[in-house]
Amino acid sequence: MVNERALRALYVLLLIPILFSVYVHSPLFDPQPYLYGLKYTDFTIGVFLPVFQDPVDSSAGRGRWFNEEKIGELLGGKRTCPIPYLDYHFEYPPLVGLMWLFSTCVSLFSVAPPSFPPADYGNILQRVVQLHYYITAGFLFLSYLGIVFALPALALERRRPLLLLLMPSMYVFSVYNWDVVAAAFFLLSIYAIERQRYGLSGVLAGLSVSTKLLTLFGGVLLGLTLLREGRRGDFLRYSAAFLAAAALPYAAVLLLSPHGFSHMISHHATWYCENCLYMLVSNDIWSNTHRVLAALSIGFLAGSLLTLTFSKPVDVRSALFAAVSVPITFNYVFTPQMMAMMAPLAVVTLPLPLLALYALADWLNALALMVFFNEPEPWVLPSTSQKLFAMRNLLMAALTLTVIIMLFRRKLSPS
């Protein structure tokens, strides 16, 4: 038997993925062109540059701005702090918006003088984006520490957390988007509810939803397990905290900027089929077919899962994995970083044969991103990247449906 102290020391190895991810996405890493996928991040290249650099380089960049005066001040050489949702379009949920506000404003005020020659804006922006990167990476690192804390506490087998090291998406996507923040809050909410800290669990689950809406069904499922067991007081404590932490941040954005809130909703409601399962049905990525099939699939599967959880005892942890996987796997948007949201949950919930299937999907996912940036039209079939994403999607659909079927047949017993 592995010595307990030695095992705890081995858990330090779980930091390898996040440290690798911080480095390869940082300004210190200069990849070969065919490895550009290791460099890209949503919060620098995907959002920051379109918001702050594109207004200089193209008129299209101005289309993101609601407040032309704010971007005019920056371009004119005056230091200021634009507010997401209010001054410009920002597509991410409110807790991400809060982190974004902090990282961008601290970076702008740390690097830019109160006034500067407009010609210096480009050079200043280069230093601002670097500081913004490290501040955001700091948020993600702290969140990842929450995952490292929760995994050993939740694992039924003491060496099980180390299997996270076999998931390449944790190396590539821990510092890419904000998915590890949502994953950390959700894992910690499970940790709290299993220790009868119902209010705290509700807050943590709600904060996860305020970071990524995709954990909503998981948060609801946690509450339903309490209600099914007849623990109404615990259910009310959990539900009140969950609703407050999940809904109030969205309400704050709505009150701050109804226009920005509607743009955030519209952005996601009208997005294209991004690496989605339904591309096998229609290769037109803008087709409404994808959205209709996603709504029907998610509605049926999530409704069935929540009804099952409320009606009879199930293996709650396996049900939680399915509750998070359904709105990701069967959505019309399945971005590669979402695997990093599911991987820690998969490690502590899935039986080893199913975890091996998940790991295969995870490897296909990371490989697809590497190929994606080396193809002329990677968004559609028959590109190699979309073939890899299609195999990932089929594996994840089979895995998720297997878990749900086993729950219905009680092949996964309550733990």
Side-chain angles (χ1 to χ4, degrees):
M1 180 180 294
V2 178
N3 181 277
E4 190 70 21
R5 183 176 296 177
L7 186 59
R8 284 198 295 270
L10 283 176
Y11 289 153
V12 176
L13 296 175
L14 292 173
L15 295 177
I16 293 174
I18 186 71
L19 293 174
F20 177 87
S21 198
V22 168
Y23 172 71
V24 296
H25 294 108
S26 75
L28 300 174
F29 180 66
D30 186 19
Q32 296 296 318
Y34 61 89
L35 291 177
Y36 181 76
L38 289 176
K39 186 69 176 178
Y40 178 90
T41 64
D42 279 341
F43 60 84
T44 53
I45 299 170
V47 182
F48 185 93
L49 294 182
V51 169
F52 292 102
Q53 181 173 287
D54 279 3
V56 181
D57 296 341
S58 69
S59 59
R62 295 267 188 172
R64 296 184 68 103
W65 286 84
F66 308 138
N67 187 347
E68 285 278 349
E69 183 179 341
K70 278 286 186 179
I71 186 60
E73 288 176 354
L74 276 175
L75 297 178
K78 180 181 178 181
R79 184 178 66 187
T80 187
C81 176
I83 300 174
Y85 312 112
L86 182 63
D87 293 322
Y88 56 91
H89 166 59
F90 189 74
E91 62 263 36
Y92 291 98
L95 195 59
V96 174
L98 185 62
M99 290 184 284
W100 175 272
L101 177 66
F102 180 87
S103 64
T104 55
C105 289
V106 168
S107 300
L108 283 165
F109 273 75
S110 298
V111 171
S115 61
F116 52 88
D120 290 346
Y121 180 76
N123 292 329
I124 289 172
L125 197 65
Q126 289 183 3
R127 289 181 285 140
V128 170
V129 71
Q130 290 180 10
L131 183 55
H132 160 68
Y133 169 82
Y134 286 113
I135 292 173
T136 305
F139 284 132
L140 299 174
F141 184 84
L142 290 174
S143 300
Y144 190 91
L145 289 180
I147 293 174
V148 172
F149 168 80
L151 281 178
L154 294 174
L156 299 179
E157 304 163 19
R158 301 299 292 164
R159 283 175 284 192
R160 177 64 82 94
L162 296 174
L163 295 178
L164 191 68
L165 295 171
L166 302 179
M167 306 297 172
S169 288
M170 300 308 297
Y171 297 82
V172 180
F173 300 113
S174 291
V175 178
Y176 186 97
N177 198 288
W178 292 268
D179 296 77
V180 295
V181 182
F185 279 132
F186 194 67
L187 277 182
L188 290 169
S189 73
I190 301 172
Y191 173 85
I193 205 168
E194 290 185 356
R195 282 150 185 82
Q196 301 180 348
R197 301 287 301 277
Y198 303 110
L200 177 60
S201 177
V203 168
L204 292 167
L207 290 175
S208 181
V209 174
S210 291
T211 308
K212 293 281 181 174
L213 196 60
L214 296 165
T215 57
L216 175 63
F217 294 127
V220 173
L221 191 145
L222 279 173
L224 288 179
T225 60
L226 297 173
L227 189 59
R228 179 185 52 77
E229 294 169 2
R231 297 153 64 181
R232 294 188 179 182
D234 298 335
F235 168 75
L236 290 174
R237 279 191 292 275
Y238 172 87
S239 298
F242 174 69
L243 288 172
L248 290 180
Y250 286 96
V253 172
L254 178 61
L255 291 173
L256 171 71
S257 175
H259 187 63
F261 183 86
S262 66
H263 268 69
M264 176 180 67
I265 299 300
S266 175
H267 175 92
H268 296 285
T270 58
W271 200 242
Y272 65 93
C273 165
E274 186 171 359
N275 318 317
C276 80
L277 179 65
Y278 313 107
M279 196 177 298
L280 298 172
V281 177
S282 171
N283 202 35
D284 176 8
I285 60 175
W286 295 102
S287 171
N288 282 329
T289 300
H290 307 297
R291 301 183 189 93
V292 172
L293 290 175
L296 293 174
S297 300
I298 294 172
F300 174 74
L301 292 173
S304 299
L305 183 63
L306 294 177
T307 301
L308 172 68
T309 303
F310 182 65
S311 61
K312 65 181 182 180
V314 296
D315 178 11
V316 175
R317 289 189 174 187
S318 297
L320 286 170
F321 173 81
V324 175
S325 181
V326 163
I328 293 175
T329 301
F330 294 92
N331 209 335
Y332 59 91
V333 175
F334 190 172
T335 54
Q337 69 268 18
M338 292 176 183
M339 293 294 284
M341 189 191 307
M342 290 191 288
L345 190 59
V347 166
V348 295
T349 59
L350 295 178
L352 281 177
L354 296 182
L355 183 59
L357 191 65
Y358 178 88
L360 177 57
D362 198 285
W363 277 89
L364 290 169
N365 181 70
L367 181 59
L369 182 80
M370 296 299 100
V371 177
F372 187 91
F373 288 100
N374 299 309
E375 294 191 287
E377 294 185 356
W379 303 275
V380 295
L381 289 168
S383 67
T384 301
S385 53
Q386 287 306 321
K387 289 176 182 176
L388 291 168
F389 280 129
M391 288 189 285
R392 174 207 66 178
N393 295 340
L394 291 171
L395 283 172
M396 286 303 302
L399 169 61
T400 306
L401 291 174
T402 298
V403 171
I404 294 174
I405 291 169
M406 292 175 74
L407 287 168
F408 268 95
R409 294 181 176 178
R410 294 195 173 188
K411 294 293 182 66
L412 289 170
S413 58
S415 54

